[in-house]
Amino acid sequence: EADIYQTPRYLVIGTGKKITLECSQTMGHDKMYWYQQDPGMELHLIHYSYGVNSTEKGDLSSESTVSRIRTEHFPLTLESARPSHTSQYLCASSRTGYYGYTFGSGTRLTVV
Amino acid sequence: GNSVTQMEGPVTLSEEAFLTINCTYTATGYPSLFWYVQYPGEGLQLLLKATKADDKGSNKGFEATYRKETTSFHLEKGSVQVSDSAVYFCALAQGGSEKLVFGKGTKLTVNP
């Protein structure tokens, strides 16, 4: 049973639109992550946060931005969506001192 | 830096066949090792983990043993089922940093 929630599950949107992908967790985890998963299944870390008001860019450069104003909430925003942003986006969280992530079910984004 | 290499897929097996998915890692010190599973249309779920050398992680009939001498953490299952069809990710977390490093994933298809 997932304690980390991503909405929407699927999103089809036109080029140039602004979108926000939501991620919330109810476990009190201090660390949160966003991954982009390509069609070949490989996971790419694009953003992470180790606490409120702390955000860092990941290993893969992304035009998206994130914010962490509340512990439980870690939204990802694209100011102007493009077809190259079409992908699956996975959110995850973890707790300091404990190795292992809990993942959300993902948002599959299609930009047309 | 830290890295994980797992066997390329896709892997196709018949029901009740024996499964091995190879995973080797590069890291300094003693990382914690994980296997995650991603069922179609879902996020990743922790399948099993091992935190020190010679530990064996097990869950749902799957097993993996942390082999320091060969830097390996191969996933095995004695008799696969159609419901095991999924993508499997090997991952490590280095002590001091709880950020996971993932392999590229191995897609398993089990036919009846």
Side-chain angles (χ1 to χ4, degrees):
Chain A
E1 186 176 346
D3 292 311
I4 180 165
Y5 306 97
Q6 289 188 244
T7 56
R9 286 293 307 274
Y10 303 93
L11 179 62
V12 181
I13 200 161
T15 298
K17 298 292 186 183
K18 178 180 178 178
I19 58 170
T20 297
L21 308 185
E22 300 288 348
C23 176
S24 294
Q25 50 96 3
T26 59
M27 298 169 285
H29 286 175
D30 50 340
K31 299 181 178 179
M32 297 188 74
Y33 313 84
W34 275 104
Y35 284 84
Q36 185 173 340
Q37 185 171 29
D38 61 30
M41 305 168 301
E42 190 171 356
L43 297 165
H44 302 283
L45 179 66
I46 53 175
H47 298 284
Y48 61 99
S49 167
Y50 284 173
V52 171
N53 293 325
S54 157
T55 60
E56 301 286 345
K57 290 191 178 295
D59 307 318
L60 179 69
S61 177
S62 174
E63 293 168 345
S64 60
T65 59
V66 293
S67 62
R68 189 91 183 277
I69 299 172
R70 302 196 316 266
T71 298
E72 63 272 20
H73 194 214
F74 191 42
L76 181 146
T77 298
L78 278 166
E79 291 292 334
S80 179
R82 294 209 296 267
S84 60
H85 296 139
T86 294
S87 189
Q88 163 111 304
Y89 292 85
L90 293 169
C91 182
S93 68
S94 68
R95 176 166 51 86
T96 296
Y98 176 78
Y99 291 105
Y101 294 176
T102 302
F103 278 85
S105 297
T107 293
R108 184 164 295 281
L109 172 66
T110 303
V111 184
V112 298
Chain B
N2 300 333
S3 66
V4 174
T5 302
Q6 58 183 105
M7 66 186 284
E8 291 190 21
V11 175
T12 303
L13 296 173
S14 297
E15 207 164 22
E16 299 184 2
F18 184 85
L19 169 71
T20 300
I21 300 178
N22 291 337
C23 172
T24 58
Y25 67 89
T26 301
T28 56
Y30 298 92
S32 294
L33 301 173
F34 305 81
W35 277 101
Y36 281 81
V37 58
Q38 183 179 29
Y39 297 105
E42 297 296 325
L44 279 69
Q45 302 174 23
L46 179 64
L47 181 60
L48 53 85
K49 69 178 182 181
T51 57
K52 60 183 187 294
D54 299 324
D55 266 2
K56 177 185 285 187
S58 61
N59 186 24
K60 299 182 180 180
F62 290 90
E63 293 183 339
T65 301
Y66 187 162
R67 302 285 188 201
K68 180 69 176 174
E69 63 276 14
T70 54
T71 62
S72 65
F73 193 54
H74 304 321
L75 182 68
E76 297 182 337
K77 186 175 185 183
S79 176
V80 293
Q81 305 300 311
V82 172
S83 57
D84 294 327
S85 298
V87 180
Y88 293 82
F89 291 90
C90 186
L92 70 81
Q94 185 70 54
S97 166
E98 288 140 11
K99 196 163 45 154
L100 289 178
V101 175
F102 287 93
K104 293 185 177 182
T106 302
K107 183 175 182 179
L108 169 67
T109 301
V110 180
N111 295 318

